[in-house]
Structure formats: structure tokens, C-alpha cells
Amino acid sequence: MTDRNVEELLFHMPVVFHRARNIWVRNFASSVLKQSRRKTWRASPKQVAMMRQLVSELFIEAGDVDGVEDITLRDEVIDDG
């Protein structure tokens, strides 16, 4: 994973921290943010995978603003005739 990709994941970690419903997630986000300040720090593959998952979940939650899964609307949009 490139440094830019890790930086993009780190950019979202404060939001992950503040929206966390789980103490482990809050601690993970806080820990990664603190570690990332060190010049020699490199995210481990496990850290990157967890950050990727948490950021993905963040966007999934943010995308469902109306409480209706968007995928179910697709059938209504398609016109068979």
C-alpha cells in the first residue's frame, strides 16, 4: 500500500474515533493516529486492513441517510417495457 493510501485512511481516523460505538475501535483509531506522528512509523498490513474496514464502514453508514437500502431502489428504476 502506498504512503498516500495510508495518509488517506489516516485522514478519516478522527471521524472513526468520534463515531465509534465500541471502545476497541476508539482505542485503535487513537493509537494509530498517535503512532502515525512518528517519522519512522509504517502501518502494518493488519493495521492497514483494519483502517480500510473502518473507513469503509464509515462511508456505508454515511451513505444510508434515508434508512432505505439504495440497492432495493434499483428494481423500481428499471423499466422492462
Side-chain angles (χ1 to χ4, degrees):
M1 173 155 267
T2 66
D3 287 342
R4 179 175 179 198
N5 291 347
V6 172
E7 287 177 21
E8 289 172 359
L9 292 170
L10 288 170
F11 176 81
H12 296 289
M13 284 294 105
V15 178
V16 168
F17 174 84
H18 289 292
R19 292 193 178 176
R21 299 176 188 150
N22 176 315
I23 192 69
W24 187 91
V25 172
R26 285 181 70 97
N27 289 340
F28 175 81
S30 175
S31 175
V32 167
L33 285 167
K34 287 176 187 175
Q35 291 176 48
S36 70
R37 294 183 199 136
R38 290 186 277 151
K39 291 181 182 183
T40 59
W41 179 77
R42 295 284 179 249
S44 72
K46 285 185 178 182
Q47 286 173 320
V48 170
M50 181 55 65
M51 286 190 289
R52 195 180 287 150
Q53 178 181 344
L54 293 171
V55 170
S56 293
E57 290 174 6
L58 180 70
F59 282 103
I60 289 169
E61 288 177 10
D64 189 21
V65 295
D66 59 1
V68 178
E69 292 184 32
D70 294 334
I71 195 75
T72 59
L73 299 176
R74 182 158 176 83
D75 293 335
E76 297 171 9
V77 174
I78 297 173
D79 183 14
D80 291 333

